[in-house]
Amino acid sequence: MDVAARVTSKGQVTVPKVVRDALGIKDGDEVVFRLEGQRALLAKTPNFLDLAGTVVVPAAKRSTAWDEVIRRTRTERAATRQ
């Protein structure tokens, strides 16, 4: 689908309603622009809190402190690179 919009003198563009609806963009949402050559792609920034609970964490690891998780991850990565 191609939809046109006009750039204002301040460099602003209104995202057309059909595009907002298709991407589920609502007031206050953030979007990201990705430049690819002479094109810019617009995407809705995901709300990472919506992903909470989607990854199964084994019971034995649920009470591990975050700094310990990072330390273990770095140690394991270093071991695999050798």
Side-chain angles (χ1 to χ4, degrees):
M1 158 185 18
D2 290 344
V3 181
R6 191 170 305 275
V7 179
T8 70
S9 61
K10 294 182 179 182
Q12 299 172 331
V13 175
T14 298
V15 179
K17 183 172 182 349
V18 66
V19 175
R20 293 191 315 265
D21 290 346
L23 296 177
I25 297 173
K26 297 180 289 297
D27 185 36
D29 286 345
E30 288 189 10
V31 296
V32 63
F33 292 91
R34 175 177 293 151
L35 298 178
E36 294 184 355
Q38 294 296 310
R39 293 178 177 217
L41 300 174
L42 167 78
K44 179 179 175 182
T45 304
N47 181 351
F48 291 107
L49 292 178
D50 290 342
L51 301 175
T54 61
V55 175
V56 179
V57 178
K61 294 187 177 185
R62 289 184 191 155
S63 61
T64 306
W66 186 244
D67 58 340
E68 177 63 14
V69 171
I70 292 171
R71 187 190 65 73
R72 288 181 191 173
T73 302
R74 289 179 177 160
T75 301
E76 291 172 12
R77 284 185 184 166
T80 59
R81 290 181 183 165
Q82 294 177 356

